[in-house]
Amino acid sequence: LKNITQNITMKYKDCQMMKMNTGEIIRDIRCEQKITIGKLAALSGVHYNTIQRFETGGDASLRNCEKILTALGYELDIMKCEN
């Protein structure tokens, strides 16, 4: 499995930016893989509306985020932000 932290770190250096843009990164990965939200919902077990809300800036639980990333072939790696 790929590590989502690598993608986030490459695009965003600031921890606050990472938090704000995780849904956008997931959308980018999904689109690169040519997977619809409906297909991702079926693969991940996360409701369509939850994925759509997350990709457009809404919140998602850590568990749902992990399910989505796993379905896309990534793993969630939690690290402490140094402020």
Side-chain angles (χ1 to χ4, degrees):
L1 293 175
K2 299 171 194 165
N3 187 317
I4 191 64
T5 304
Q6 293 170 346
N7 273 332
I8 293 173
T9 302
M10 286 173 30
K11 292 186 179 187
Y12 308 101
K13 295 179 182 173
D14 177 78
C15 288
Q16 185 62 27
M17 287 296 291
M18 282 193 281
K19 179 177 181 270
M20 291 171 45
N21 290 296
T22 304
E24 292 175 27
I25 293 169
I26 286 175
R27 183 186 62 228
D28 289 348
I29 293 168
R30 178 182 61 75
C31 290
E32 285 172 8
Q33 294 183 15
K34 298 181 178 12
I35 297 174
T36 64
I37 294 175
K39 178 71 172 176
L40 182 56
L43 291 170
S44 66
V46 177
H47 195 277
Y48 180 101
N49 292 343
T50 301
I51 296 171
Q52 187 176 45
R53 184 177 59 246
F54 187 44
E55 288 187 353
T56 57
D59 291 331
S61 69
L62 191 57
R63 181 68 184 131
N64 281 341
C65 186
E66 182 179 35
K67 288 179 178 181
I68 292 166
L69 290 170
T70 300
L72 292 170
Y74 287 76
E75 64 183 0
L76 183 62
D77 185 16
I78 306 292
M79 64 182 175
K80 182 178 178 184
C81 293
E82 301 295 328
N83 291 332

